Amino acid sequence: MLIDGIAGLKDQRGRIVIVGSGPVGLGLAVDLARRDIPVMLLESGESNANPVVQQLSDAELTDARRHDKMAVAVARRLGGTSNLWGARCLPFDPVDFAPRDFVDARWPIRYTDLAPYWDRAIRSTAAGANHFDTSPILSQDADDGFTADRLERWANVQAAQNVHADAIRSMPALEVRTRCTVTDLKTAGGRVERLTVAHSITGETVDIDVDTVVLAAGGIETTRLLLAAQKVNPGLFGGPDGPLGRHYMGHLIGEIADVTFSSSDIGRAFDFHVDDYGSYVRRRLVASDRTQIENRLLNCAFWPVVAPVADPRHRSAILSMVYLALSVGPLGRLIVAEAIRRRHALDKPQRIAAHVRNLIVGAPSAAAFAAQFFWRRYFRPERLPGFFVQNAANRYGLFYHSEQAPHPDSRVVLTDQVDRLGLPKLKIDLRFTDQDVDSVVCTHDLLDQWMRKVGMGVLHYRMPLEERAAAVMEQAAHGTHQVGLARMADDRTQGVVDGDLACFDLPNLFLATTAVLPTSGQANPTLTAVALALRLGDRLAQRMTSKPEVHTPMSKVASL
């Protein structure tokens, strides 16, 4: 059931209250409601985007070059940031969970603890199947320093509210409330006793009693609520000098090299395609666990991309058409996610005449490409996630998507300013370090050596050796993945929640968000966060049915 506003919102004892309706929160809510466990889901936004509500997420950016604008990083509406994302779904790798002495983080769970939940997470995101390996490009006896045989896949339905539309409409145990902004966690006796909920437009408030609360409002907004609670009770979450709000991570992304493949077949193998499990997939190049550990590398993935679309010297009618389309905001957002669009084009196109000349010369090919793209993206059951244009030279840009190492000075803090509903605003200071940059440069070099050795191709750097680190740092900017701000750990000095996502200091408060991930890996974090939420759902279901008097970690429950 979908209800707008706070009218009639009152005592929620006996229900699980989930704050936030993105893929994580909505996926958890539906999973619990399917078991006839009563769930109340509170969403700050409306069914559609409303700039008045969106402004509640405005924040101060210490360095605007490093962090996406908040309208790109956060979506206050039903479905959350799934309305903005590119819908890439892949799990974290086993190496991400392993102790690494060069990474300042320790996971309190193992990869095997999440393995049973990948299938359910894939179904919850409409992303095909739990299948992330494909047939080898190279012979079986090729050097295994890297692999080109791992897949990333995309959801066929982008927005979470559309994935779960039937459940929202018909599940008796699920009540979804829009225009309901949680502004305060009221604690007593080491528990969350009440939530203050404000109407997102009028500002009218109501306090509701609660038994169990799950914050799933995204990494930044979840952390903001916790920091506001800590401001009232400074001893919470490790105290002011504790882990809350620190270790903010996203990913390092960009291009410093091109790649020439040794054959057109190899280039073709990296194109988007629908696999046997019914969604679009694409190969990526990743260093083996051995290569990463031996060389003290952060996890990093690579894939070939088209030439920079903004530069008309590519003389491609298709790429010029793409650039001009991306430069028109509403049209560009139909093609790619907003964060991706902004990396390729400004809202006002540059060098228009040159792009128009390219388009005129190759008009037939551009028209055919456009028709096929929109057909495959909007009128097929499998949603085409992007575009890849093959060329006769087999030369492409080489895009990297690298793990960012946790660092305590990369953080968010409260400011003295408050939003329209009285919640303190954030100051965001996302920082990248020499370790992040050096790892990207070194991984490129090792990849080049490996590709030459196995006969797959060769890298061409766009700048000399002495300028590569600076080029990586110049491109270092993120803000949409929001990892590490309230990380899980073995104890409260190192993290905010335990391995079951329960807050150390408030055991009836749980976090289902990318903020709990201790490391960022090479993968987009959403699928892993959904899997963790579904694992939490099993624990909450057990609590609702057996009502144990003491908190028992899931790892111990599973061994009984």
Side-chain angles (χ1 to χ4, degrees), residues 229-272:
Q230 188 185 66
K231 184 176 181 180
V232 176
N233 299 286
L236 287 176
F237 314 124
D241 297 323
L244 178 62
R246 297 181 181 270
H247 308 104
Y248 184 21
M249 295 169 282
H251 289 94
L252 286 87
I253 56 177
E255 301 169 42
I256 61 170
D258 297 323
V259 59
T260 297
F261 292 120
S262 56
S263 73
S264 58
D265 287 341
I266 292 177
R268 189 177 303 111
F270 282 92
D271 201 351
F272 298 99

Side-chain angles (χ1 to χ4, degrees), residues 67 76 212 319 388 465 558:
H67 200 278
R76 283 185 181 250
T212 302
L319 299 186
F388 181 73
L465 175 61

Side-chain angles (χ1 to χ4, degrees), residues 346-388:
L346 301 174
D347 286 330
K348 183 177 181 180
Q350 307 294 312
R351 304 181 67 178
I352 297 178
H355 285 290
V356 170
R357 282 195 297 271
N358 289 344
L359 195 55
I360 292 173
V361 171
S365 63
F369 175 86
Q372 184 183 56
F373 176 86
F374 280 99
W375 171 255
R376 294 166 69 191
R377 186 170 176 87
Y378 294 106
F379 300 100
R380 295 286 302 165
E382 308 87 6
R383 176 180 174 273
L384 178 64
F387 58 91
F388 181 73

Side-chain angles (χ1 to χ4, degrees), residues 52-387:
V52 174
V53 180
Q54 181 63 42
Q55 287 175 355
L56 294 171
S57 288
D58 287 351
E60 177 186 344
L61 304 180
T62 298
D63 187 345
R65 300 172 305 165
R66 299 296 183 206
H67 200 278
D68 292 315
K69 295 179 179 180
M70 298 310 293
V72 175
V74 176
R76 283 185 181 250
R77 59 175 293 193
L78 188 63
T81 51
S82 69
N83 293 283
L84 302 176
W85 72 328
R88 180 185 285 114
C89 292
L90 67 162
F92 270 32
D93 299 319
V95 71
D96 296 322
F97 295 79
R100 294 173 289 171
D101 61 7
F102 53 92
V103 177
D104 182 23
R106 294 292 182 273
W107 285 73
I109 63 173
R110 299 164 297 179
Y111 177 84
T112 52
D113 293 321
L114 270 191
Y117 295 91
W118 297 128
D119 283 331
R120 288 166 58 185
I122 287 288
R123 289 196 297 272
S124 183
T125 52
N130 179 20
H131 184 77
F132 294 94
D133 294 290
T134 188
S135 57
I137 292 179
L138 306 172
S139 64
Q140 293 184 352
D141 58 351
D143 183 280
D144 64 353
F146 283 76
T147 178
D149 305 329
R150 294 193 194 162
L151 296 174
E152 50 191 9
R153 61 192 319 118
W154 280 263
N156 287 325
V157 182
Q158 176 187 5
Q161 71 272 27
N162 294 333
V163 175
H164 301 294
D166 289 343
I168 294 172
R169 182 172 53 252
S170 61
M171 279 191 173
L174 176 61
E175 182 175 318
V176 178
R177 291 255 183 174
T178 53
R179 294 189 185 180
C180 290
T181 300
V182 175
T183 59
D184 192 17
L185 311 175
K186 296 184 181 297
T187 63
R191 296 171 57 84
V192 177
E193 290 289 328
R194 292 183 302 280
L195 299 179
T196 299
V197 183
H199 190 289
S200 303
I201 302 297
T202 69
E204 179 187 357
T205 65
V206 61
D207 280 2
I208 59 173
D209 295 329
V210 291
D211 287 327
T212 302
V213 179
V214 181
L215 297 185
I220 287 177
E221 290 296 340
T222 294
T223 303
R224 182 183 177 193
L225 279 170
L226 297 179
L227 285 169
Q230 188 185 66
K231 184 176 181 180
V232 176
N233 299 286
L236 287 176
F237 314 124
D241 297 323
L244 178 62
R246 297 181 181 270
H247 308 104
Y248 184 21
M249 295 169 282
H251 289 94
L252 286 87
I253 56 177
E255 301 169 42
I256 61 170
D258 297 323
V259 59
T260 297
F261 292 120
S262 56
S263 73
S264 58
D265 287 341
I266 292 177
R268 189 177 303 111
F270 282 92
D271 201 351
F272 298 99
H273 65 279
V274 178
D275 71 354
D276 294 337
Y277 302 94
S279 72
Y280 272 96
V281 297
R282 178 177 60 189
R283 292 177 187 263
R284 65 197 195 282
L285 291 153
V286 182
S288 67
D289 293 359
R290 174 181 59 81
T291 297
Q292 292 184 45
I293 299 301
E294 288 180 357
N295 294 278
R296 304 175 70 82
L297 300 175
L298 301 172
N299 204 350
C300 184
F302 301 86
W303 53 85
V305 294
V306 296
V309 296
D311 186 349
R313 290 177 298 178
H314 51 57
R315 301 179 68 180
S316 166
I318 293 173
L319 299 186
S320 285
M321 178 186 63
V322 168
Y323 172 71
L324 293 171
L326 293 180
S327 298
V328 180
L331 178 58
R333 284 185 281 274
L334 291 175
I335 300 173
V336 294
E338 176 65 1
I340 299 173
R341 184 191 77 84
R342 294 179 68 88
R343 289 199 295 269
H344 289 287
L346 301 174
D347 286 330
K348 183 177 181 180
Q350 307 294 312
R351 304 181 67 178
I352 297 178
H355 285 290
V356 170
R357 282 195 297 271
N358 289 344
L359 195 55
I360 292 173
V361 171
S365 63
F369 175 86
Q372 184 183 56
F373 176 86
F374 280 99
W375 171 255
R376 294 166 69 191
R377 186 170 176 87
Y378 294 106
F379 300 100
R380 295 286 302 165
E382 308 87 6
R383 176 180 174 273
L384 178 64
F387 58 91

